[in-house]
């Protein structure tokens, strides 16, 4: 992740230091020094960096390169620095950024939770429709062809009798899930006579699966339920 | 003098030449040391990514990479990213040498 931040400068103090000798022109009494501190800025102060100083000579008009600083200048710099304390506002980001991050993560987790519980309640409604089939309900199912490729189609409930469920196959069968949600609702789309499947065995944990044929070698997984003009999807 | 006036008087590109942080600021070689450390880190990263991608190619094992790495991998195979980082590292060392030479000249003038 990239943050676009700025480096800003906080100015503490500028003082003339008459005791110092300019290392460039060797003139005495003309050196001044500013103590400053960089801090990171992103819409507000984030965190302070190290303190530093720049020095210049009023006599020769030069800024003094850091590599030319004398021991005495270092001494005065440390003395000037001692009298400064970093303003608390420069640390603002160290408090605010973690809080913002925590808030962001919290909102994200909440959103995931809400969408999870929504999809869970949808899945429960689909399971309920499978376990208590009403005549006229259309199941959106994925099954397999004889050559074992996936087939996206629909089964309409004709009637239920005991543990057996009578379903009408659909004449719309798709090889991909692209237009799968356009559920054919016309009565003519479903082929008589019904075939019989066993109601799913909830104890087995696969509650949204129909099996039929000898030894249940054919199966279909319910992905959605169309009832009263509305398609309810599991996911 | 206010800080803003300093900003205008010192050319921005050379600003760090005048920033005195502590005694170490006086050593021109410091900038070179930082550059070398940075380059070493980049080379280590390059080596690590190359090693991972090489192993993934050899064994066919899965490796999750960033979109940037994937783009580079498509362009130039497993060598593209390490090479890019290695060149970046070399570039930093060159910058370090240049800074070192400039500061050394300044110190001796
Ligand atoms: Zn001077």
């Amino acid at each position: 992740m990239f943050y676009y931040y700025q480096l800003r400068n906080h100015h503490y103090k500028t003082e003339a230091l008459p005791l110092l000798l300019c290392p460039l022109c060797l003139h005495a009494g003309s050196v001044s020094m500013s103590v400053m501190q960089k801090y990171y800025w992103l819409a507000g102060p984030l965190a302070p960096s190290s303190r530093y100083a720049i020095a210049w000579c009023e006599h020769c008009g030069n800024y003094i390169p850091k590599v030319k600083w004398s021991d005495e200048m270092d001494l005065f710099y440390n003395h000037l620095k001692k009298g400064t304390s970093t303003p608390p506002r420069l640390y603002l980001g160290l408090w605010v950024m973690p809080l913002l991050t925590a808030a962001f993560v919290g909102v994200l987790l909440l959103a995931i939770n809400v969408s999870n519980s929504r999809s869970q309640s949808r899945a429960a409604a689909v399971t309920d429709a499978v376990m208590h089939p009403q005549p006229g309900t259309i199941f959106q199912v994925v099954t397999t062809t004889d050559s074992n490729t996936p087939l996206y189609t629909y089964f309409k409930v004709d009637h239920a009798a005991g543990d057996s469920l009578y379903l009408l196959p659909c004449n719309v069968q798709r090889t991909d899930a692209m237009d799968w949600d356009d559920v054919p609702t016309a009565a003519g789309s479903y082929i008589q006579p019904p075939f019989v499947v066993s109601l799913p065995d909830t104890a087995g944990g696969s509650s949204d699966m129909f099996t039929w044929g000898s030894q249940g070698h054919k199966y279909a997984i319910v992905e959605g339920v169309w009832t009263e003009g509305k398609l309810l999807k599991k996911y | 003098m206010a800080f803003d006036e300093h900003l205008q008087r010192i050319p921005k590109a050379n600003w760090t030449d005048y920033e005195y942080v502590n005694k170490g600021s006086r050593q021109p070689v410091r900038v070179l040391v930082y550059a070398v450390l940075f380059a070493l880190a980049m080379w280590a990263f390059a080596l690590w990514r190359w090693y991972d991608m090489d192993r993934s190619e050899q064994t066919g094992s899965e490796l999750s990479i960033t979109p940037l790495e994937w783009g580079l991998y498509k362009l130039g195979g497993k060598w593209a990213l390490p090479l890019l980082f290695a060149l970046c590292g070399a570039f930093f060392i060159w910058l370090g040498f240049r800074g070192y030479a400039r500061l050394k000249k300044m110190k001796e003038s």
Side-chain angles (χ1 to χ4, degrees):
Chain A
M1 198 189 299
F2 290 100
Y3 283 116
Y4 183 73
Y5 64 88
Q6 288 176 310
L7 266 177
R8 295 196 175 185
N9 286 285
H10 176 73
H11 178 246
Y12 284 102
K13 53 172 104 167
T14 298
E15 274 183 33
L17 302 168
L19 290 178
L20 282 179
L21 207 68
C22 169
L24 301 177
C25 68
L26 304 178
H27 190 269
S30 54
V31 172
S32 297
M33 200 181 277
S34 286
V35 178
M36 274 166 305
Q37 182 161 23
K38 282 183 202 291
Y39 59 95
Y40 297 92
W41 176 279
L42 180 82
L46 278 185
S49 180
S50 51
R51 254 169 268 195
Y52 69 96
I54 53 172
W56 66 95
C57 170
E58 302 284 0
H59 183 254
C60 64
N62 285 314
Y63 285 88
I64 299 160
K66 60 184 178 187
V67 288
K68 293 287 257 188
W69 273 50
S70 61
D71 285 342
E72 290 75 23
M73 287 173 73
D74 183 78
L75 211 68
F76 273 94
Y77 163 57
N78 281 310
H79 179 73
L80 283 181
K81 209 163 63 163
K82 239 174 231 160
T84 64
S85 61
T86 310
R89 68 177 183 92
L90 296 192
Y91 290 101
L92 193 66
L94 294 184
W95 293 100
V96 171
M97 287 310 273
L99 283 179
L100 277 181
T101 310
F104 179 72
V105 169
V107 166
L108 207 70
L109 285 178
L110 196 72
I112 290 171
N113 218 326
V114 164
S115 97
N116 264 351
S117 70
R118 263 194 206 149
S119 78
Q120 262 168 26
S121 66
R122 278 202 307 268
V126 168
T127 303
D128 187 60
V130 171
M131 296 311 295
H132 308 100
Q134 302 298 318
T137 296
I138 296 168
F139 292 120
Q140 187 185 33
V141 295
V142 56
T143 179
T144 55
T145 62
D146 292 334
S147 55
N148 241 7
T149 55
L151 199 67
Y152 300 88
T153 185
Y154 317 87
F155 293 156
K156 189 175 184 176
V157 176
D158 192 67
H159 65 282
D163 276 352
S164 297
L165 178 62
Y166 291 81
L167 296 172
L168 300 171
C170 188
N171 60 10
V172 179
Q173 301 187 335
R174 311 178 198 275
T175 50
D176 60 60
M178 204 112 79
D179 300 317
W180 198 24
D181 287 352
D182 300 334
V183 180
T185 53
S189 302
Y190 293 90
I191 307 157
Q192 294 282 357
F195 66 107
V196 64
V197 303
S198 25
L199 266 180
D201 174 19
T202 39
S206 51
S207 55
D208 299 338
M209 195 163 90
F210 296 126
T211 53
W212 69 95
S214 56
Q215 289 125 27
H217 75 288
K218 293 285 280 181
Y219 63 92
I221 298 161
V222 180
E223 291 292 335
V225 171
W226 185 91
T227 174
E228 289 156 11
K230 248 173 49 195
L231 176 66
L232 184 70
K233 300 273 287 181
K234 226 157 50 171
Y235 304 111
Chain B
M1 190 190 297
F3 174 71
D4 293 341
E5 290 171 61
H6 292 309
L7 263 182
Q8 284 156 19
R9 283 175 60 184
I10 303 178
K12 207 162 195 178
N14 301 336
W15 182 253
T16 52
D17 289 353
Y18 301 92
E19 275 178 13
Y20 185 89
V21 178
N22 51 40
K23 280 199 166 90
S25 305
R26 289 189 243 172
Q27 304 303 325
V29 77
R30 221 184 193 200
V31 60
L32 182 58
V33 171
Y34 284 145
V36 168
L37 286 179
F38 197 70
L40 283 178
M42 291 188 94
W43 288 341
F45 178 79
L47 200 69
W48 170 56
R49 293 319 280 164
W50 181 86
Y51 177 76
D52 270 3
M53 281 191 274
D54 184 56
R55 201 179 45 182
S56 175
E57 272 186 3
Q58 303 285 330
T59 63
S61 62
E62 221 172 272
L63 177 67
S64 55
I65 55 178
T66 59
L68 175 78
E69 286 180 286
W70 177 238
L72 284 169
Y73 184 82
K74 277 206 287 196
L75 274 178
K78 65 184 170 189
W79 285 101
L81 179 98
L83 209 65
L84 185 76
F85 271 82
L87 284 177
C88 279
F91 179 67
F92 272 105
I93 287 188
W94 177 72
L95 280 184
F97 263 112
R98 252 184 41 153
Y100 169 69
R102 193 184 66 245
L103 288 176
K104 199 169 155 65
K105 211 174 121 191
M106 240 182 210
K107 192 180 173 85
E108 283 160 3
S109 70

